[in-house]
Amino acid sequence: MQLQRSIINRFPRIKEALRPIYYFMQGLPPISNSRISSEVIRNLIRKPNPIILEIGCNDGGHTLWLNEIFESPTIYCFEPDPRAIVRFGERVGNRSNIHLNKIALSDRNGEVSFFPSDGDRPAHDAEGTPAMPEGWDLSGSIRRPKNHLKKVSWVRFGRTISVKTKTLDTWCDENGIEAIDFIWMDVQGAELDVFRGGKRALSNTRYIYTEYSNSELYEGQAKLRELIRYLNCYSVVTRYPDDLLLKNRIHIH
């Protein structure tokens, strides 16, 4: 077995050719090296005025991109990091169709500990990165960092803050949201927390695009197979290297 692995690792083409077979045997969808695009999203949603939730919106970069895809979308954004909230306001401004909720979505209502990220991205790797005067704020999570500390050594986590949290179901009830067309989610390891708190809402959501990791970057982070198993009424449209596009089989045929 070790000899076989050694041969495969020495020949990248063989390794690449066998990768789909490996994923199939593991019960996982193959990886597409493409990137999700505005055309893909537009062709999926097929309506000019969708209800979109962006869970983990940071400074609103993706918010503005999603806003440009459709004629008249309504976008509800969620962000608990105070630094990102300030930058969101500066970047997005006041738009009647974009609504920022300064909370984290989780599996409970109340308050939770949030682990803000910090650090300065190396100059050679910072092209296209927005300015963050108060430090790197793209990796904060309600889950304690674990392997993230090893994977990206320059990102630091030196403190915790308390942030307000709601379940997705509670938020939808309070805001009269009965159906969601698209969820764009980047919650740094807290994916299952959001899903657990949104069973009713997710049953009436057409598409989900979420980040995932099999490396447990944060303590207790659910791996890909667990996420797919939990969302048993969804099927995988496309698996990207670090993201997953899913469709609700009940609402999408």
Side-chain angles (χ1 to χ4, degrees), residues 114-215:
F114 182 80
F115 299 85
S117 61
D118 203 348
D120 297 310
R121 192 166 189 166
H124 69 273
D125 192 34
E127 184 177 353
T129 302
M132 302 179 193
E134 297 186 59
W136 179 263
D137 60 25
L138 283 167
S139 302
S141 177
I142 60 174
R143 292 219 166 235
R144 185 184 299 274
K146 185 179 178 181
N147 292 328
H148 197 294
L149 300 170
K150 302 174 184 177
K151 185 175 180 180
V152 191
S153 59
W154 56 267
V155 175
R156 302 186 297 272
F157 299 85
R159 62 193 176 99
T160 62
I161 61 175
S162 181
V163 300
K164 293 182 178 180
T165 183
K166 288 184 179 180
T167 69
L168 178 57
D169 281 341
T170 296
W171 181 86
C172 286
D173 290 343
E174 292 176 349
N175 290 273
I177 304 298
E178 298 181 354
I180 301 166
D181 292 298
F182 186 63
I183 290 179
W184 179 286
M185 199 166 85
D186 186 352
V187 293
Q188 301 297 309
E191 296 84 12
L192 197 55
D193 299 271
V194 177
F195 295 156
R196 284 171 175 162
K199 293 180 181 178
R200 293 196 312 275
L202 294 179
S203 68
N204 292 306
T205 297
R206 296 172 62 204
Y207 292 95
I208 299 173
Y209 181 78
T210 180
E211 189 178 45
Y212 73 88
S213 174
N214 286 321
S215 301

Side-chain angles (χ1 to χ4, degrees), residues 51-55 74-78 97 99 101 171 177:
I51 300 295
I52 299 173
L53 270 59
E54 187 185 2
I55 306 173
T74 299
I75 306 176
Y76 297 98
C77 302
F78 300 83
N97 67 314
H99 311 274
N101 297 267
W171 181 86
I177 304 298

